[in-house]
Amino acid sequence: MKKTLILTLNTFLLTSSLAMAAPQDVFEISLQQWNIKGSFDYYLHDQGTNQLLSLVNMPQNQKMNILHLKYIPNDKHYIKLQYGATSFGNKGKGSDSDWQNIGSSAITDYGTMDFNGDQKMVAIDFGTVVSKGDKKKTSVFWGWGKRDTTNQIHNVVYHLINGVNAGNLTQADNGSYLNGSFSGVHFGVTNEYKINNKMSFNSDWVVSYLNAKTDGHWANHFPPWDWKNSGDTLGYDLNLGLIYTFNKNMMAELGYYYSYAKMKNGNEYLNYNNGMSTNFSGIDLRYKQRGYYFGLNCKL
């Protein structure tokens, strides 16, 4: 993957230099803070009936700081790098639910818990302007990206166990976690609309083809359960931003974003009961992020 990206980057830079109509060499630096409201959810289905057997809901409510670096070698092309990260902290209260009886919709196990962790994202984009007018500019881009989420489980309280009301049965923090990673290529379209000399409106529409992976450790069983999931995933991103220009080198942006990725019918390798292993299919993963953001942009 690294060699492919390096080769692509070199090819893009060579093409840009040959196609350059008027040298610009503009660099843009943008700092944004996203107010994330989201969730990372794990679904396990029965292979024969497709009945839902287990659902772990993990909130993803955090603030993420994102750095954008954009290089514009000419009026037709650009390269953009993005890196974002949250601090490690409490993401909110989630739940663990089980339906052990095949053919019955009655829930058999239910507990609530806090999820602590962080989120990270990295991306590289190669863009080309396909149309440009007085009021509107449209670009297409493609690239590669990755999003990671870590989720440690704390303050567990089970209310239902094996179909029996357990009241508020607490469980000691035991190192359980469920972490996820989504990575792959993406394709998108950017539209920039000029409202007046000070205001403009931008929109990004992105489709991603990803591979999802998880790494889980459930220590409330003895011995602990360890598992890994993997599968192909479709992702969608929408970004809407209103930009105010202070001067030709400084801008502020207020916007809204939505990101959703879903893996359906993935595979799971579960290691439990003193080394016994089981392969499952019918694993679904869903990773959603949404919310408002604010940013400052500087041209060099």
Side-chain angles (χ1 to χ4, degrees), residues 221-236:
H221 298 276
F222 185 81
W225 291 7
D226 292 283
W227 71 91
K228 296 184 182 297
N229 303 126
S230 63
D232 294 330
T233 305
L234 274 177
Y236 308 91

Side-chain angles (χ1 to χ4, degrees), residues 10 12 19 22 50 68 84-85 105 117 124 132 144 146 151 158 173 190 223 231 248 252 264 279 283:
N10 290 335
F12 181 87
N50 201 38
H68 299 258
S105 61
I124 179 170
K132 185 177 182 180
W144 178 89
K146 182 180 182 183
N151 303 278
Y158 273 96
D173 294 347
T190 297
K248 65 178 183 178
K264 188 172 178 61
N279 290 304
I283 308 297

